[in-house]
Amino acid sequence: MSTGTQPEINQDTVFETVIGLEVHAQLLTRTKAFAPVKAEYGAKPNTQISPLCLGHPGTLPVLNENLVKYIIKMGLATNCEIARKSIFARKNYFYPDLPKGYQISQFDTPICYDGHIDVTLEDGTEKRIGINRIHMEEDAGKSIHDQDPYNTLVDLNRAGTPLIEIVTEPDIHSPQEAYAYLTRIKQIVQYLEVCDGNMEEGSLRCDANVSIRPAGQKELGTRTEIKNLNSFRNVERALSYEVERQKQLLLNGGEVVQQTLLWDANRLETRQLRSKEEAHDYRYFPDPDLPPVIVTNEMLDEIRSELPELPHVRMQRLIDDLSLPEKDAALITEERDLADFFEELHKQSGNAKQSANLILSEVKRVLNERSLEIREFPIKPARLAGLIKLRAADKINSSALQTIFNEMLDGDQSAEEIANAKNLIQVSDTGFLEPIIEQVMADNPDEVSRYREGAKKLMGFFVGQIMKQTKGKANPKMVTEMVQKKLDN
Ligand code: ADP
Ligand code: MG
């Protein structure tokens, strides 16, 4: 698109990146969108089907109420307007995994529209991203090309499973912002429990539209659409690649052609799937078998009352009420289950800071090492709280905490039992420590005089010696105070 009204492009041109994302989220309803058939992931091929999923003539769709409920939850959580009346449309095309010959979708009356979410970028700044629409649709079946050398196999279990499609405004201005947006969408669907957010299993899928334009130009540049993105990092990589490709094209006097591209995650490049000329014309028309979806005030009130506390609100509460540092609060509320674990641990132990510290260090480390979800973590909050209480009361030092924690992981003893059995309760008894300190000073006269002449760094040496003598059981804070008093005398 090189019309005379556009600024000349040369080597000094500064480009602005423009990105719009379309995210499909597979809903966690028990049954399909328009048939009372199970919609579970991973079942044996073609075992979760009915005449309706097979497109038999004479079958009639019946709307799953939870589909409407879940999408309204998502709409409210993303500040959307909710249409009081919206309709379903047929999106027509031929494909072997689509026996009906059309997908039921929404076209010009999406049920949710004009929303936004705020995302936090890596440098800490907040950025608002507009949501153009969220609509309901059903999925197609799955064509399997890699299991039979001659034939394509079709699994129709997925045919008719409920999806929502979340479409942003072209408000995203870098691949990093796209990543932050996707992370936030995943967090919201998981908090709402409307989708499991698993990109590898295809429960969240993203198509990315991208264009560039000389900074200051109002008109949008010609876009390309990238498909086949199966991780958030791949979205970020593919967008970076595509922005650079478009830049080079324009700088070399070429033009961006509107087309659909596939991301090749092995070769780290995009390649053409189809051009605009081959783009589908879906011949949308209102589905005559489904009545309009009417949303009443009562429905809205009920759904609103069922909304959980959303991640950013929860994060702010942890900062305001429990004085957690912002960074800790953000990490803890990243996943709803982790935040629940934290709040239970805090309730049981009475210590927010130590609970957060333990989760963000030891607990997270074990989750990573053993590839566990927090739900599967072997120490439940009630038992873990015992460990925090010991530490908060200064009965154990930090190295003992580590030892006891590791022991608790693979057994069911309480922290106190382990501390006693391993003799890890700190010695804070001055009468016991006094003679040991005197002995260490007597054994190291050189260090004592160097310390007194100003080598204050030797304090570490003395404390170390005393910890060694007490096999790590002395309370280091108390030892430091006592040694200081003696040396400064
Ligand atoms: P389609 O009907 O082809 O899906 P839409 O108008 O629904 O197109 O837009 C799909 C997505 O592409 C939206 O997220 C929108 O913000 C984004 N988009 C549209 N035009 C551009 C553009 N020129 N550059 C980048 N993104 C765009
Ligand atoms: Mg689209």
Side-chain angles (χ1 to χ4, degrees):
M1 268 202 294
S2 48
T3 63
T5 56
Q6 291 181 5
E8 187 97 5
I9 287 170
N10 57 47
Q11 294 302 320
D12 299 327
T13 303
V14 178
F15 289 102
E16 183 190 36
T17 299
V18 177
I19 296 166
L21 299 178
E22 298 168 279
V23 173
H24 280 100
Q26 187 148 14
L27 297 183
L28 285 170
T29 58
R30 220 172 42 78
T31 57
K32 294 195 178 181
F34 303 103
V37 179
K38 268 201 195 153
E40 272 163 21
Y41 177 82
K44 224 172 131 241
N46 298 311
T47 54
Q48 297 184 351
I49 48 178
S50 72
L52 191 104
C53 315
L54 299 175
H56 286 190
T59 52
L60 283 174
V62 178
L63 175 60
N64 181 339
E65 270 179 31
N66 277 332
L67 167 52
V68 179
K69 197 166 155 181
Y70 286 14
I71 194 171
I72 292 178
K73 275 192 182 180
M74 191 61 191
L76 292 174
T78 53
N79 309 292
C80 284
E81 301 292 327
I82 310 294
R84 296 316 181 90
K85 181 178 176 184
S86 65
I87 62 163
F88 285 106
R90 289 189 182 178
K91 177 179 179 180
N92 302 282
Y93 63 94
F94 171 78
Y95 209 74
D97 59 22
L98 188 75
K100 288 209 302 280
Y102 62 86
Q103 245 173 311
I104 303 175
S105 182
Q106 291 196 298
F107 185 49
D108 42 18
T109 63
I111 186 164
C112 309
Y113 59 96
D114 278 356
H116 65 260
I117 58 172
D118 294 324
V119 301
T120 312
L121 303 179
E122 243 151 64
D123 65 0
T125 54
E126 290 260 307
K127 151 109 204 198
R128 177 157 295 185
I129 293 170
I131 307 277
N132 172 279
R133 59 187 277 156
I134 311 178
H135 69 251
M136 306 180 262
E137 59 186 36
E138 58 173 349
D139 210 343
K142 205 170 171 177
S143 299
I144 302 161
H145 305 288
D146 57 5
Q147 286 196 9
D148 184 299
Y150 305 109
N151 302 297
T152 289
L153 307 177
V154 175
D155 175 9
L156 292 175
N157 282 350
R158 205 178 65 183
T161 54
L163 296 177
I164 59 175
E165 180 173 348
I166 308 154
V167 184
T168 73
E169 298 293 346
D171 283 351
I172 300 170
H173 293 298
S174 70
Q176 293 71 36
E177 283 179 28
Y179 182 85
Y181 168 80
L182 289 170
T183 308
R184 180 45 66 90
I185 287 289
K186 173 174 168 177
Q187 192 187 33
I188 295 173
V189 296
Q190 287 182 334
Y191 263 72
L192 296 175
E193 294 179 316
V194 299
C195 167
D196 64 25
N198 188 330
M199 225 174 164
E200 283 76 42
E201 288 180 3
S203 334
L204 266 191
R205 282 171 256 160
C206 172
D207 298 337
N209 297 269
V210 55
S211 64
I212 58 171
R213 62 182 168 191
Q217 178 182 304
K218 272 192 102 171
E219 202 185 321
L220 291 176
T222 304
R223 69 171 147 145
T224 56
E225 179 174 8
I226 316 170
K227 291 191 177 284
N228 205 23
L229 297 164
N230 61 1
S231 75
F232 293 170
R233 283 297 170 208
N234 271 341
V235 174
E236 195 179 350
R237 278 189 210 112
L239 283 169
S240 299
Y241 175 90
E242 184 56 17
V243 166
E244 199 46 41
R245 190 189 70 86
Q246 291 186 9
K247 232 178 243 176
Q248 291 312 319
L249 259 177
L250 295 186
L251 287 174
N252 290 310
E255 281 179 12
V256 176
V257 178
Q258 186 168 347
Q259 58 186 333
T260 304
L261 304 167
L262 278 186
W263 173 244
D264 186 329
N266 296 321
R267 293 165 65 181
L268 300 179
E269 61 185 34
T270 54
R271 58 192 154 77
Q272 179 166 348
L273 179 67
R274 57 178 175 257
S275 72
K276 194 191 175 194
E277 290 71 48
E278 301 162 54
H280 293 294
D281 178 354
Y282 295 114
R283 304 268 162 176
Y284 283 97
F285 67 86
D287 192 304
D289 291 340
L290 283 160
V293 180
I294 305 293
V295 178
T296 62
N297 286 338
E298 291 73 46
M299 271 171 81
L300 272 186
D301 288 346
E302 192 192 319
I303 295 170
R304 203 173 269 125
S305 74
E306 288 171 7
L307 285 181
E309 185 181 32
L310 289 169
H312 60 284
V313 179
R314 194 169 197 179
M315 172 176 141
Q316 201 55 50
R317 180 168 58 78
L318 298 191
I319 296 170
D320 295 344
D321 296 1
L322 304 179
S323 311
L324 287 193
E326 182 170 336
K327 199 159 172 245
D328 291 2
L331 286 169
I332 282 172
T333 52
E334 216 164 66
E335 271 178 65
R336 183 175 169 175
D337 289 343
L338 192 70
D340 288 346
F341 188 94
F342 163 77
E343 296 223 50
E344 191 55 34
L345 188 57
H346 166 236
K347 205 172 101 194
Q348 304 260 358
S349 69
N351 193 317
K353 192 170 164 6
Q354 302 255 13
S355 297
N357 286 347
L358 191 61
I359 288 177
L360 295 178
S361 57
E362 298 307 302
V363 175
K364 279 222 156 186
R365 171 179 63 79
V366 173
L367 294 180
N368 278 337
E369 283 171 4
R370 303 190 178 185
S371 302
L372 292 177
E373 300 286 337
I374 184 71
R375 241 170 289 143
E376 306 161 310
F377 189 67
I379 317 172
K380 297 300 163 218
R383 195 156 68 95
L384 197 55
L387 181 60
I388 291 178
K389 282 189 195 155
L390 284 183
R391 177 77 184 121
D394 225 4
K395 286 193 178 161
I396 54 169
N397 61 32
S398 61
S399 85
L401 176 126
Q402 193 110 24
T403 310
I404 299 169
F405 177 84
N406 289 335
E407 196 84 2
M408 289 174 87
L409 276 175
D410 297 306
D412 52 14
Q413 285 185 296
S414 73
E416 190 128 29
E417 284 166 346
I418 297 169
N420 286 325
K422 298 207 143 204
N423 218 352
L424 289 169
I425 298 292
Q426 291 200 123
V427 177
S428 305
D429 175 350
T430 48
F432 174 81
L433 292 173
E434 191 88 35
I436 300 173
I437 295 175
E438 305 246 312
Q439 190 61 48
V440 168
M441 285 174 66
D443 290 347
N444 299 282
D446 284 359
E447 279 75 9
V448 171
S449 38
R450 273 169 55 214
Y451 178 92
R452 287 188 168 139
E453 280 155 20
K456 299 290 179 206
K457 271 202 237 151
L458 282 169
M459 177 58 80
F461 164 78
F462 289 111
V463 175
Q465 289 297 309
I466 292 147
M467 293 307 286
K468 208 162 139 192
Q469 298 284 327
T470 59
K471 299 201 169 66
K473 279 168 57 190
N475 176 343
K477 210 166 104 209
M478 181 162 270
V479 170
T480 309
E481 276 164 21
M482 289 174 72
V483 172
Q484 201 150 27
K485 227 187 218 160
K486 286 199 183 296
L487 287 174
D488 288 346
N489 253 325

